[in-house]
């Protein structure tokens, strides 16, 4: 079976890999290149700590396990000159200041009931794990299964593996559909038509626009986020550390600016600082306010950051679904069209299982978890529009 995957970000690369491993002939089409947009403008989170009970948490638990095997296979399989994925099973620490401890504990207890490891930390245990935390932090929960990859490198590694299995990469823009009756039979690019038995829309924040080009409707919207990067330093942050406000920001439907604190070190010695969320379309203007808020909140969590130099800051666009679940599966109106989009900030972490769900939908391969909650035809997605 010949399958076109539109988008060479993490979700497109994971889908291409799963399809190629299942025996499909795969053509990946991206207008810019591998990991050129969202997947190079994020932190590489592989989290279970921010997921409350529900379908996404179940998907995240399976994906978290899958990444441990996948990253090892990708690193062992890499070609000459190809860097490693930088997978780190570093664990996460979620903290609360005065007044937030009770809610933090209640959330952790709900997660334990679905099998997420969440260990409450006394003050001395918290300081042992993160000695440079502000003394104002009142409570912490340790999530030993949280992990991280370098997102661009991991995306490149997945697609490199798919290409070694025969997948083809073409740099081209999708400008229209190829049809066989009602069925989608490929795509049109400025260089000509590419035909296929199935097309998978993995265009991230642009997935709604791509769906419209192909005659479908998919309500995926861009949600802008900013990240700060410090100059390299001796390691002083040992886990992914974020405040409890991050969870509520992830689940919010508010279009206005929301910021929370996420801080972590990288193998290169830099510190990544986030995060912000706001719906401003694809505008890159007016980023000073979120950057200033992020910086201010980060110094409250780790006071040493106030005297740290920034190397750079950058913004990217996350694919936001109004009901806060990714859309994975067959389109309801256009035969031959499938979608895998709407993961927002969880795309890196959910990539392996998303790819397997795509292979299930397109080829009938075994599904890693129940696909029903993620179908693009679900009422919660169409009613939330």
């Amino acid at each position: 079976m010949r399958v076109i995957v539109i988008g060479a970000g993490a979700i497109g690369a994971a889908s291409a890999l799963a399809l190629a491993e299942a025996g499909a002939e795969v053509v990946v089409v991206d207008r810019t290149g591998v990991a050129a947009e969202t997947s190079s403008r994020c932190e590489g989170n592989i989290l279970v700590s921010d997921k409350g009970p529900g379908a996404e948490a179940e998907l995240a638990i399976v994906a978290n396990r899958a990444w441990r095997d996948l990253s090892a296979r990708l690193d062992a399989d890499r070609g000459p000159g190809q860097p490693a994925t930088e997978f780190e099973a570093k664990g996460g620490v979620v903290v609360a200041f005065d007044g937030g401890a009770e809610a933090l504990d209640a959330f952790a207890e709900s997660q334990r009931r679905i099998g997420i490891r969440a260990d409450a930390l006394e003050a001395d245990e918290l300081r042992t794990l993160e000695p440079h935390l502000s003394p104002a932090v009142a409570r912490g929960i340790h999530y030993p299964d949280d992990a991280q990859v370098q997102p661009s490198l991991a995306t490149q590694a997945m697609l490199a593996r798919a290409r070694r299995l025969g997948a083809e990469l073409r740099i081209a823009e999708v400008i229209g559909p190829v049809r066989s009756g009602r069925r989608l039979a490929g795509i049109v690019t400025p260089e000509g038509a590419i035909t296929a038995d199935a097309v998978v829309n993995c265009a991230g924040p642009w997935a709604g626009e791509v769906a419209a080009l192909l005659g479908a409707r998919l309500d995926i919207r861009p949600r802008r986020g900013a990240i700060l990067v410090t100059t390299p330093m001796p390691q002083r942050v040992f886990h992914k550390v974020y405040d409890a406000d991050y969870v509520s920001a992830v689940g919010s439907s508010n279009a206005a600016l929301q910021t929370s604190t996420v801080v972590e070190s990288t193998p290169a010695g830099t510190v990544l600082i986030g995060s912000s969320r706001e719906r401003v379309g694809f505008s890159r203007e007016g980023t000073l306010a979120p950057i200033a808020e992020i910086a201010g909140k980060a110094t409250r969590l780790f006071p040493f950051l106030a005297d740290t130099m920034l190397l750079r800051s950058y913004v990217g666009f996350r694919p936001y679904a109004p009901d806060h679940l990714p859309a994975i599966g067959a389109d309801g109106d256009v035969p031959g069209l499938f979608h895998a989009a709407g993961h927002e900030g969880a795309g890196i972490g959910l990539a392996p299982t998303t790819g397997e769900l795509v292979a299930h939908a397109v080829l009938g391969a075994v599904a890693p978890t129940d696909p029903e909650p993620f179908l693009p035809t679900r009422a919660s997605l169409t009613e939330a529009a």
Side-chain angles (χ1 to χ4, degrees), residues 7-78:
I11 297 301
S15 297
L17 178 56
L19 289 164
E21 289 184 330
E25 178 187 347
V26 180
V27 181
V28 180
V29 179
D30 193 285
R31 65 183 177 184
T32 309
V34 182
E37 292 287 353
T38 303
S39 296
S40 62
R41 299 172 182 270
C42 62
E43 297 162 295
N45 293 337
I46 302 172
L47 302 184
V48 293
S49 55
D50 62 340
K51 310 291 191 301
E56 189 179 25
E58 298 296 334
L59 191 65
I61 291 169
V62 177
N64 188 281
R65 299 186 191 119
W67 259 119
R68 295 162 200 276
D69 173 66
L70 176 60
S71 62
R73 288 195 293 115
L74 293 174
D75 288 343
D77 188 46
R78 68 184 189 271

Side-chain angles (χ1 to χ4, degrees), residues 197-288:
D197 301 295
V199 176
V200 186
N201 173 17
C202 302
W206 294 271
E209 295 181 6
V210 169
L213 278 172
L214 301 178
R217 184 179 184 280
L218 183 69
D219 191 9
I220 301 298
R221 314 170 191 181
R223 202 178 191 189
R224 189 173 74 181
I227 294 174
L228 314 182
V229 186
T230 73
T231 54
M233 67 181 76
Q235 188 172 11
R236 282 185 275 183
V237 183
F238 301 94
H239 303 77
K240 181 182 290 289
V241 182
Y242 64 85
D243 66 48
D245 289 344
Y246 177 81
V247 176
S248 58
V250 169
S252 171
S253 299
N254 196 330
L257 173 64
Q258 299 170 78
T259 59
S260 54
T261 309
V262 184
V263 182
E264 63 191 306
S265 295
T266 72
T270 59
V271 175
L272 303 181
I273 304 169
S275 68
S276 66
R277 282 170 164 78
E278 55 186 330
R279 295 215 312 273
V280 292
F282 287 104
S283 172
R284 297 184 184 273
E285 303 296 322
T287 59
L288 182 58

Side-chain angles (χ1 to χ4, degrees), residues 297-317:
K297 289 185 175 182
T299 58
R300 184 185 179 213
L301 192 61
F302 284 101
F304 78 85
L305 289 172
D307 300 317
T308 299
M309 291 187 64
L310 286 180
L311 182 65
R312 64 182 181 275
S313 64
Y314 54 88
V315 299
F317 300 99

Side-chain angles (χ1 to χ4, degrees), residues 171-185:
I171 306 303
E173 185 170 2
V174 178
I175 59 174
V178 174
R179 298 197 183 281
S180 176
R182 287 186 59 245
R183 186 173 185 81
L184 183 65

